Every structure is written in C-alpha cells, then in structure tokens.
Amino acid sequence: MSTAWLDVVSARPPAPDAQAIVTEIASALLEQGCPTAPHVVAKLARRLDNDLRSVCESVGLLSVEQRCGHRALPRMLPVTPSIAEVFEPLVWQRDEKYLLLLAAVATVARLDVLVEATGASAESIASGTSGLYLKVRHGRFDFIDPRLAVWLLRTADPVDTVRAHRRLQQVHAARGERLLADWHRARGAWLRTPEVVSALLAEARNLSEHGHPEWGYQVAAEAADHAVTDDQAEAHLIAGAAMVGAGCIRDGADWLGRLFPHGSRAHRDDALSSVFIAEACLHGTVPVIDPAEHRPRTADVEQWHAWARTAGLAASLCAERGERSAMRLWLSELREADNRSGVAGAIRDPVVALCWMLTGEAESSESIGAGPFCGGVIGALRAALDGDVAEGLRIVSRARAGLVSEVDLLVAGFENSPLVEAYLLVTEGLLLFWRGDVEAARTLLLSAMIDLPIGLPFAGLGSTLAHRLDIAVLGTPGVLARSLAETLPSGIRVDRFVDTAITAYVRGGKEKAMRMLTLWIDRGAPEHPLTVPGLDGIGPLDHNAHVEPPEQACARALRRRIRLLPKVSWQKEHADIAMTSRSLVSPFERARVEAMLGSADIVRGEVDSGRRHLQSAQSLFEDSGALAWRDEVSARVRRLAEQTAFDASALALPSAPISGGDPLSASRSAWAPLLTERELEVAMRVIEGLPNREIAQRLEVSVRTVEVHAGRIFAKLGVRNRVQLTVLAHRTARHF
C-alpha cells in the first residue's frame, strides 16, 4: 500500500465510551422516528465531536438510504444550526481562517505539510490563534472540535478552497509525493484533468483492497469526474466495488449499473459478482439472468476466473436465501468455470461446501480454501457443524486477527473489506451463541454493530442474532438491535414473531408467546437456515429442518421427547433424558432442557423433582449470561415455593377453597411443551366443559378426531378422564 495515504485512512479513533455514545444518539433518533444504522451513527459521531444534537440534526438532512448505510455519507456534511451557533459568531483574521481551511482540506494530518503550506512555524501554529482549534502533537495535527472542519469546508469561498488545494498540490509535488499532489490537483481543478486519472485509479483500487473502501471510493469518484473513455468505466468499476465492500449497496449497484449494457466485456465480467451481492441484499433475491449470455466465449483463463467467482458468489447468495434450484444452476456453472480457469477447485470446493451446509441437503467432503471468507467463515462453520465449535472459533479468530495474509480467490480484492469482516464477526457471534456464551456473543455483536454493516451477511443473520442475544440478556431487543432491524434493506426481512414470542416468554407471558409462534407457523415458519436458538420449548412443534451442530440437534431432540412423552412413559424416560442432558456442553442449551424437565415434572405432580430441575436451569442460564431466561425461571421457582407453602397451610384447613389463577390461561402455558397445537385446543375446550360434539363443530373436525386427541391428552398428562383433567387444570393454575 502506498505510504503516502496512511494518514488519510487513520481516521479519528472512536471515543473510549463509543458504544454508550452511539446508543444514546441512536435512542434519540428512534424516538424522533428517524432510525439510523448504528455504524452510520458512529461515523457521524466521530465527525461531529460526539455531539448528540449535531448528529441528530445532520441525520435529519440525510436521505433514508444514507441513514441506513446503503449510500455513503456526503463528503462534506451539512452545516446544521448547532454547528452554526458555535462557529458563526467567531471573528477570524483572513490568514487564520485560511490556515484552518488548509488543515481541513489536507489529505494527511502531518504538521510539516501544514508548516510548508502556510509558511508559519510549528511553534506559531501550536501557540497562536490556530492553537485554540488545532491539537498539535508528535508532528501531527487534529481539530479539537471536528465540527469546525465541517463548518470550514461548507462555508469557505470556493476560490479559497481551490487555492488551498493548489497550495497543497505544490507542497506534495515538491516533496515527491505524486499521488497526494494528483489528488489535490484534481480537487482544485476548474476543468477536467485526465492526466491524473490513471494514478488515482491505481491508488483507489489499492486503498479498497487494503481495507479502506470508503477512501477508495472517494478517490475513484474523483477520478471519474476527470476521466474519459475507458478510464471512466474503470472508475465506475472501482467505485462501485468499493461501495459494495463497504456495505453501501445502493451506491454500489448504481455505480456498477453504469457498466451494463454499454461497458466493455472485461469491465462487465469484473463487475457482475459485485452487482449480484448488491442486488441480492437490496431486493432479497439473486438477479435472474441467463448464464449463457455472460459465460465466456473464448478460452481466456482470466475471463473464466471472473466467471467462476461470479457463479460461486451467486450460488452462495442463493443458498443463503433458500433459492435451491437457482443455487444448483449456479453450482453447475461454477464447476465448469472452476475447471476452465485452472484454479484447481479453489473456488468450487469451498462454495460447494457452503451451499451444502446452508441447505442441509448433504454432507460435503470438499476441501476448504484459504483466505478470510473461504478459510475463515466457511471453515469455521464446517468445523462447528461437524461438532467442534471450539475449533470453529479458533479458525474465525485466526482469520480476524490477520496474522497470515492470504488471497481468497472467491472474494479476491475484498479480503480486508468491512463486508467480509462483518461475515467473520457474525459467524463468530453465532458460534459463541452455539457454545452457550450468550453474554460474550452479545458483547461481540454490540461492538461490531457500531463498526460494520452486520445486517447484510447471510441475509440478515446478524440482525436476528442481535435481537435474540439482547432478549436473552435484557428480556427485550436493545436500542442498537432495533436500529439495525429498522434500517435493513427491503430485501432482508427479519421475522419478528419469534422475537416477540421469546420476549413474552421470558417475561412470563406464555399465552402471548404461544400466539406469536402460531402466527409464525401460519406464515410458513420463516427462519434462517443456520439455526439461531429460538423457542421450541412451547407452541407448535418444529416444522423446519435445521442446520446446527450435533449438540444443538441433541438438545432439540431432548426437548421434543419431553413434549411428546405420555405419562406412562415418563418415569422410564425421565432419567435417560436427564442423563443425556448432562452431556451438553452449552450451558444455555442444557438450561433450556432442565427448565422443560422441571415444568413437565410439576405438571405431573412431581414437585420436588421439578424444583431441582428449575434450580439447575436457573444456575445454568446465569452461567451462560442469559439473565432474562434466568429471571423467568427464578420467578417460577418463587411461585413454586409460595404455592408449596400455601398447600402446606391448606392441609390444616380442610375447608379452604381451591384458589389460583385462570385455569385456561395457566394450563395453556404449562401444557404447551407437552401437547401438539391441536391437542392443546381440544384440552382447553374440555376444561371449559364442552362436549365432544360441540368441540368437533368449533374445530371443524369429526367427533372421532376429538376423541382420539382427548385420549392422547389424557395419556400425556397422566389423567383418566375429563374430570381429572379439569382438576389438573386448577392445580396447574396454582403453580403457574
């Protein structure tokens, strides 16, 4: 990477309490009905001195797509009333204001450049009037209040701005810093300057490939303003790809769209994979094209290599979104392209492995390639799904650390992009959740949300994770998770029924939780192929196949056994379920099994055993960091203790009436883990005292079907008839 631009990309570091600042601002924006992506809030906060009012006013002047992070922020932010109030009353000497303008337009924050450009000494800059506004230290300078730079750039006379750029051009040219000189020459030119374009484009690509796509975009966009003919197409390609890598998918789609259909074949080949990423995120589906129209017509290896990348990314995006037929089509294209490009499976194998993992259709023996995406993301997922979550975490941690610089042929040029880093962090968060480290996963995602577009990877998996983790810890989605969900592109939809159900469940609202899950089932039970812990302990039985590690599958199977076991099998199976649950490493997964065992025991009258299981669940949830789940179980333990005390006192008062909550509501919540949805509906009507014929009419089924359901209900709950079921309902109401 060119050392001349190192100071450009080393932006003002985030404040030590950046997360708290971003949360406060994001909360205010939500209240104003102006939700803004957390990482956009963080960028604005750094540029506006972490001032809440300035950020909120600036957000009000942005477009919706800029607030969501789908378009880049303006190069020059607007001057808002709060900024004007601070700086307009100040009285400036012309040379003082010009010095500060030079500092604002300077590409590098080196004091020696500012000294040479102004002719002032370092001492006078540090101790004079400019020292009130510039912090000078270790040969560098920075604005004490970065909002001053915003005000200067927006209010300066255009002639003065051009003059400042030209002066900096002269300084950098004299120092032999050609790239910086070309940048300022372009920025200070009244007319097109095509001779600077080639160098700027090379540096724009360099910046993007080394993890600074937003600066790469700025340089490429500037080059586009001065370019002609082929250079202009190259500028559009670099700018568009940089924006996709930064997560600004609308900008990326717009810049790359200019190459179709009039760009050269080479530019279209290079752009197509990035177009697929942008369009899939924006609209929720991979663009439908005829591969024959874009497939190379020659034996040129470079063309086939580009086509292999396009086909591989298209297949992966289809797999993320459950588009299986389109995925197979692109896998077929990929196999031929990989072979003809001579990369010996380096693109084909990891993509095939990822697609099979996401669809759960077959186990893949394909090797995993190198690089942060193929080696890091795909390698970590495969290790976890093979049963070694700890190894998956080691793989993703190594990829994030960047200790080894590896070329990733599938995402070549994007290895260091924010989008790939977001994939890595979402993967790590998912694996931590699978391991049961709820608090660690949440801490990781909160940090990632203020730095990266984590809502884009895996068709919105990051947003789902953020919600579930917040609910597990707080009992409700937090500010940043809600801001993220509100700013996802329309092509990424997060189903909120399950989140609402879990929120209700951990707050004691079992009936509402069941209602939400039923609505979720009615909508086709949409969920991400990679399993995020949900709420399979109550409500309808699982309808979907799940892609998850063996331990999660084991825990899910145990919960299903608990729900379906009849009373006659309970004593025999209970011990085996409890013993198997002890093998679960994840404290969160084991806690959910223990909590369900406790509920089932209590419903069947085995109060002491139920209490022990609930207390175990309480401790395990706390160990995992799932404090809201812990509190829900703690409330059950307290109610159980209170009811036990009441029952003991009632023994001394034989005439005391049976009291408790609403039998229908309590029974629906308590029996939901044990009965199917239809059985639960029949049970509720039996408790109401309705005869079988009337139940059949209400549910629009036959009387025989009601009788069959009733028999299953009696067997599962350990009662012999309707009267005993009603008595059990009243007893359940006292405990739940």
Side-chain angles (χ1 to χ4, degrees), residues 61-83:
L61 299 173
L62 299 177
S63 70
V64 173
E65 290 179 321
Q66 286 173 324
R67 286 196 284 108
C68 295
H70 309 155
R71 288 195 186 276
L73 291 174
R75 180 183 288 170
M76 292 190 295
L77 293 178
V79 173
T80 62
S82 57
I83 296 175

Side-chain angles (χ1 to χ4, degrees), residues 13 209 401 442 452 625 704 726:
E209 291 178 354
R442 179 171 178 266
L452 300 166
R704 175 58 183 160
T726 304

Side-chain angles (χ1 to χ4, degrees), residues 62 68 75 84 94 165 277 305 346 380 397 417 421 425 491 494 505-506 520 536 566 577 592 650 657 672:
L62 299 177
C68 295
R75 180 183 288 170
R94 183 171 177 80
H165 278 294
I277 295 171
H305 189 180
S397 178
S417 67
E421 189 177 355
L425 278 160
V494 178
Y505 180 85
V506 298
W520 175 67
D536 59 342
I577 293 172
R592 293 172 70 200

Side-chain angles (χ1 to χ4, degrees), residues 395-621:
I395 290 171
V396 76
S397 178
R398 173 182 176 274
R400 282 189 58 210
L403 298 177
V404 179
S405 180
E406 296 175 326
V407 174
D408 193 320
L409 292 182
L410 179 62
V411 294
F414 289 87
E415 290 93 340
N416 300 302
S417 67
L419 184 58
V420 169
E421 189 177 355
Y423 265 96
L424 284 165
L425 278 160
V426 169
T427 301
E428 185 172 3
L430 177 63
L431 266 58
L432 285 169
F433 206 171
W434 281 347
R435 194 173 70 177
D437 292 341
V438 173
E439 183 57 41
R442 179 171 178 266
T443 300
L444 179 78
L445 264 291
L446 284 172
S447 176
M449 271 191 279
I450 67 174
D451 291 323
L452 300 166
I454 70 161
L456 300 183
F458 294 117
L461 177 61
S463 182
T464 299
L465 269 176
H467 272 71
R468 300 285 168 84
L469 291 166
D470 270 358
I471 295 169
V473 177
L474 306 175
T476 187
V479 168
L480 298 186
R482 287 188 287 128
S483 297
L484 179 64
E486 291 293 329
T487 54
L488 292 173
S490 59
I492 295 177
R493 294 188 178 276
V494 178
D495 195 289
R496 296 193 171 107
F497 284 119
V498 176
D499 293 336
T500 304
I502 301 174
T503 300
Y505 180 85
V506 298
R507 291 180 170 183
K510 308 295 190 299
E511 190 170 356
K512 180 179 180 181
M514 277 199 56
R515 189 166 64 252
M516 291 298 103
L517 286 179
T518 301
L519 291 173
W520 175 67
I521 289 291
D522 292 344
R523 293 185 66 253
E527 60 182 333
H528 195 275
L530 292 169
T531 297
V532 179
L535 192 59
D536 59 342
I538 68 170
L541 289 169
D542 300 325
H543 282 55
N544 298 339
H546 296 87
V547 179
E548 58 193 353
E551 180 167 283
Q552 273 61 38
C554 175
R556 187 184 298 276
L558 290 176
R559 292 191 292 269
R560 186 181 180 89
R561 281 177 67 186
I562 295 169
R563 287 185 62 185
L564 298 179
L565 277 176
K567 173 72 173 180
V568 293
S569 304
W570 182 247
Q571 293 297 333
K572 178 181 177 182
E573 299 284 351
H574 179 281
D576 181 63
I577 293 172
M579 179 65 70
T580 304
S581 74
R582 294 191 187 104
S583 68
L584 299 175
V585 175
S586 165
F588 183 74
E589 291 295 342
R590 182 179 170 190
R592 293 172 70 200
V593 175
E594 293 282 353
M596 203 166 169
L597 279 171
S599 296
D601 274 343
I602 293 168
V603 167
R604 292 179 168 96
E606 300 173 12
V607 176
D608 289 339
S609 175
R611 181 188 296 108
R612 289 193 296 272
H613 283 301
L614 290 178
Q615 289 171 339
S616 295
Q618 189 177 353
S619 299
L620 288 163
F621 278 134

